[in-house]
Amino acid sequence: MRVVIARFPFDLIKTEVQDAMKGIKPEPVTGESVQIGSRHYPVKQVGEVITGQDRRDFTAGEVTRAMTRLGFTCRPAAPAARTPLEEASDLLQGPASPDRNPEA
C-alpha cells in the first residue's frame, strides 16, 4: 500500500513493517503508539525505522495514519497526569456552589 510520510511515497505492506521491527527494543512510550505483534512502539520510532528518515522530518500523525491504513492498532497519547499540587488545590477549593459569588 502506498503511504506518504514526510512528503515521500513509500510502498509498504504489513509484513514488511513487522519484519523491520523484529528484534528492535521498544523505547518508552510517551506519546502516540502503535502495536506491532505484542509490543507497543512509539510511532516516531516506527517511522524512523521504516523510512530511514530522521524523526524530525515527519509527524506522529503521518505515521499513525499510515500504520492505521496498514491495519495496525494505534493509540493516542495518554492525557497529562495531574500533579499533587493541582489535586490539593482542587480539594481546598471545594465544589462550586451557585450562591457563592466571590465578586459580591
Side-chain angles (χ1 to χ4, degrees):
M1 174 177 296
R2 181 163 285 220
V3 297
V4 177
I5 299 174
R7 297 180 308 231
F8 291 99
F10 293 92
D11 289 315
L12 299 173
I13 57 174
K14 190 171 184 173
T15 55
E16 286 177 344
V17 174
Q18 291 168 328
D19 291 342
M21 297 307 294
K22 276 186 185 169
I24 296 179
K25 182 180 176 188
E27 296 170 359
V29 175
T30 58
E32 297 177 49
S33 67
V34 58
Q35 182 177 352
I36 300 175
S38 61
R39 296 179 168 193
H40 290 273
Y41 293 89
V43 292
K44 289 279 205 162
Q45 181 183 13
V46 174
E48 182 178 46
V49 170
I50 63 173
T51 66
Q53 296 179 340
D54 189 277
R55 295 177 191 201
R56 295 172 289 184
D57 294 339
F58 53 84
T59 66
E62 290 175 303
V63 179
T64 299
R65 276 190 299 279
M67 295 299 103
T68 301
R69 286 183 61 202
L70 289 172
F72 291 103
T73 302
C74 297
R75 292 186 178 169
R82 294 178 47 88
T83 66
L85 180 62
E86 291 169 328
E87 293 288 338
S89 177
D90 286 347
L91 290 173
L92 291 173
Q93 289 177 6
S97 65
D99 54 29
R100 229 172 64 181
N101 187 357
E103 295 175 9

